[in-house]
């Protein structure tokens, strides 16, 4: 038997919170899932915010709280969240939500996400006994169960306003256990997709697509042994390539990093900015999505010395010339429908500067990481990023693993490919 942590680590649980008195207990559910390693995305309905403020969820998890179809971080939030979810859990699930879910309504972010996902649905109903025992509610529950929806609870016990009876939401621990057992049989993110359409489809969202990724820091030779380099490890780009492959894409990774090749990814090794530009340029035409995660040098020595520089010659000057701006060249040559994503390492979180860069380079998205943060940027396993689209901030995550950043980058990119 795998532990809860083994089952939930790396899994994304979208936690829908309805407008019931038990909404405050959703906070404990979030903590329980997070403790076991799940990436929890809180998604509150309008009514839920009468019971618990968004700030409470924000303070407890790195994901922005989602609340609306219209002003969230993703351009098309319901499909982005639906594809990203390994599980959609609703706790508390009110009588109103049971009705909407049973009948396929989609007039808010939670119900629209429920229709736009192939992830399993787990509901924790909570309401007064009279509501729970109403035939309309019973019929909605029967409809949902007939479609394979899982329920945890409700139990019997104290209810709101001093009442007692059936309708009490299951305890947070029970809800977390139910999430673990529902995901127990689903494949872990690193495992191949199962043949069942139910859980495998989100990971196949890039099937038929060609994705080109760059990674690592380039090395610009000074002489036979010395070079100008940077601290980029290549982990972020490798994680993007691995994630794109796991979602079914044909992936080419042009990398200067010594990290191992991700499974199912064609790797092209390069060293300099010029080689990177050439190899990327050769393959760009075929790509539906290009993610430029490499830290390409901005300058290179104008001349490469044939021999090793000799210290006894005293001080020497190094003349530098700018390298090719690969992102700008790709943008100038891109074909219709191709999505272009750049990365920008910034010191400090000056988004105005980054927005100007996005515009100037002509990319669709710019993944901005603040390399002055201790848990972000070069040579660390975690990252903190803001993803800018032409319409503003599309997503903010971190500090989270570079694998999680890769998932978010691909979620946002995929939503652009789809529109
Ligand atoms: C104080 C108060 C407590 C409520 N508690 C519940 C509840 O526990 N369960 C429920 O189904 N509805 C409850 N309701 C009614 C819901 O808030 C209402 O049906 C709302 O539209 C549900 O919104 P939702 O679809 O976003 O969950 C309560 C309403 C109030 C004013």
């Amino acid at each position: 038997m795998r532990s809860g942590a083994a089952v939930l680590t790396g899994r994304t649980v979208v936690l829908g919170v309805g407008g019931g008195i038990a909404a405050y207990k959703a906070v404990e559910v979030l903590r329980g899932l997070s403790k076991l390693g799940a990436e929890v995305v809180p998604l509150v309905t309008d009514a839920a915010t009468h019971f618990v403020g968004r700030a409470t969820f924000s303070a407890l998890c790195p994901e922005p709280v989602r609340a609306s179809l219209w002003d969230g971080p993703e351009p098309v939030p319901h499909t982005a969240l639906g594809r990203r979810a390994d599980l959609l859990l609703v706790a508390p699930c009110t009588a109103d939500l049971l009705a909407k879910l049973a009948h396929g309504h989609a007039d808010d972010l939670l119900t629209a996400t429920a229709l736009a996902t192939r992830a399993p649905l787990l509901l924790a109903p909570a309401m007064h006994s009279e509501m729970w025992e109403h035939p309309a509610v019973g019929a909605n529950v029967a409809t949902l169960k007939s479609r394979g929806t899982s329920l945890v609870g409700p139990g019997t016990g104290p209810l709101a306003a001093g009442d007692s009876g059936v309708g009490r939401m299951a305890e947070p621990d029970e809800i977390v256990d139910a999430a673990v057992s529902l995901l127990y049989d689903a494949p872990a993110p690193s495992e191949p997709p199962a043949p069942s359409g139910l859980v495998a489809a989100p990971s196949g969202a890039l099937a038929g697509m060609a994705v080109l990724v760059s990674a690592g820091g380039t090395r610009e030779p000074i002489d036979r042994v010395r070079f100008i380099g940077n601290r980029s490890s290549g982990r972020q780009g490798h994680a993007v390539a691995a994630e794109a492959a796991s979602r079914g894409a044909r992936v080419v990774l042009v990398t200067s990093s010594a990290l191992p090749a991700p499974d199912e990814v064609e790797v092209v090794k390069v060293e300099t900015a010029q080689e990177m530009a050439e190899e990327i340029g050769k393959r760009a035409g075929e790509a539906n999505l290009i993610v430029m995660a490499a830290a390409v040098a901005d300058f290179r020595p104008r001349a490469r010395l044939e021999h090793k520089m000799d210290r006894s010659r005293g001080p020497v000057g190094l003349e530098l010339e700018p390298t090719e701006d690969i992102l700008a060249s790709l943008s100038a040559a891109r074909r219709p429908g191709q999505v272009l994503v750049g990365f920008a390492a910034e010191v400090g979180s000056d988004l105005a500067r980054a927005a100007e860069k996005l515009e100037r380079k002509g990319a669709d998205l710019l993944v901005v990481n603040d390399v002055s943060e201790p848990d972000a940027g070069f040579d660390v396993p975690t990252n903190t990023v803001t993803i800018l689209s032409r319409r503003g901030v599309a997503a903010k995550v971190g500090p989270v693993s570079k694998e999680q950043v890769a998932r978010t980058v691909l979620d946002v990119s995929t939503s652009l490919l789809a529109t």
Side-chain angles (χ1 to χ4, degrees):
M1 175 81 182
R2 283 183 285 166
S3 69
V7 173
L8 288 186
T9 297
R11 297 296 182 88
T12 299
V13 179
V14 174
L15 173 60
V17 183
I21 201 82
Y24 74 96
K25 291 195 196 166
V27 173
E28 281 306 312
V29 175
L30 182 154
R31 287 161 72 110
L33 294 167
S34 304
K35 228 190 273 173
L36 293 176
E39 315 268 357
V40 186
V41 182
L43 194 177
V44 297
T45 66
D46 259 1
T49 58
H50 288 277
F51 296 90
V52 190
R54 291 168 62 160
T56 307
F57 294 104
S58 295
L60 293 170
C61 88
E63 279 285 337
V65 178
R66 308 313 203 274
S68 162
L69 275 164
W70 310 111
D71 62 7
E74 295 93 358
V76 187
H78 55 301
T79 56
L81 292 180
R83 287 182 189 137
R84 188 176 154 198
D86 293 300
L87 172 68
L88 174 57
L89 163 63
V90 184
C93 185
T94 57
D96 185 53
L97 282 172
L98 286 174
K100 287 175 162 171
L101 293 168
H103 294 279
H105 287 218
D107 62 353
D108 66 7
L109 183 55
L110 176 48
T111 51
T113 302
L115 290 188
T117 191
R118 292 194 170 98
L121 181 59
L122 173 61
L123 308 176
M127 62 202 75
H128 262 83
S129 309
E130 294 84 344
M131 291 175 95
W132 178 248
E133 287 169 350
H134 194 286
V137 173
N140 290 332
V141 168
T143 300
L144 287 161
K145 283 185 173 168
S146 73
R147 292 205 294 256
T149 299
S150 304
L151 267 70
V152 48
T156 301
L159 302 167
D163 296 329
S164 180
V166 68
R168 181 180 165 83
M169 189 171 85
E171 292 309 315
D173 284 355
E174 272 179 79
I175 296 173
V176 172
D177 286 350
V180 170
S181 40
L182 202 57
L183 286 176
Y184 179 76
D185 293 322
S190 56
E191 293 172 3
S196 145
L198 194 70
V199 290
S203 62
L206 290 175
M209 298 281 176
V211 176
L212 180 60
V213 183
S214 73
T218 60
R219 294 176 167 195
E220 309 304 326
I222 297 171
D223 63 17
R224 272 185 183 277
V225 292
R226 299 183 179 87
F227 60 84
I228 299 176
N230 60 61
R231 292 181 189 281
S232 170
S233 64
R235 279 186 198 148
Q236 187 61 77
H238 279 237
V240 170
E243 181 64 22
S246 80
R247 293 181 186 202
R250 279 178 291 115
V251 185
V252 179
L253 172 65
V254 180
T255 179
S256 56
S257 163
L259 288 172
D263 288 347
E264 308 292 327
V265 170
E266 180 190 337
V267 171
V268 179
K269 291 297 291 269
V270 294
E271 195 167 299
T272 64
Q274 191 175 345
E275 288 167 10
M276 178 77 79
E278 283 167 9
E279 296 299 336
I280 291 282
K282 276 187 219 163
R283 293 166 175 81
E286 299 157 20
N288 301 93
L289 167 66
I290 303 178
V291 182
M292 287 293 298
V296 181
D298 293 322
F299 292 94
R300 66 172 154 244
R302 188 181 282 279
R304 178 187 147 161
L305 299 176
E306 277 312 308
H307 305 290
K308 188 167 169 273
M309 270 198 299
D310 184 357
R311 188 201 326 230
S312 63
R313 289 176 56 198
V316 286
L318 199 56
E319 196 181 356
L320 300 177
E321 64 181 8
T323 55
E324 180 179 343
D325 186 337
I326 304 178
L327 195 56
S329 307
L330 288 171
S331 163
R334 81 161 130 175
R335 62 177 172 80
Q338 187 176 62
V339 172
L340 187 56
V341 181
F343 270 66
E346 298 284 342
V347 176
S349 49
D350 183 357
L351 287 184
R353 206 178 105 97
E356 183 275 320
K357 196 168 186 173
L358 173 70
E359 194 65 36
R360 179 162 41 86
K361 303 240 176 184
D364 298 296
L365 299 172
L366 195 66
V367 183
V368 186
N369 49 1
D370 179 357
V371 290
S372 62
E373 294 280 330
D375 295 332
F378 295 153
D379 223 10
V380 287
T382 53
N383 215 348
T384 300
V385 304
T386 302
I387 304 179
L388 283 185
S389 76
R390 300 292 188 93
R391 291 162 48 179
V393 174
K396 255 181 160 168
V397 282
V400 290
S401 67
K402 287 188 172 169
E403 287 72 24
Q404 178 56 37
V405 170
R407 286 195 280 274
T408 307
V409 168
L410 287 174
D411 289 341
V412 179
S413 307
T414 306
S415 70
L416 294 183
L417 279 169
T419 52

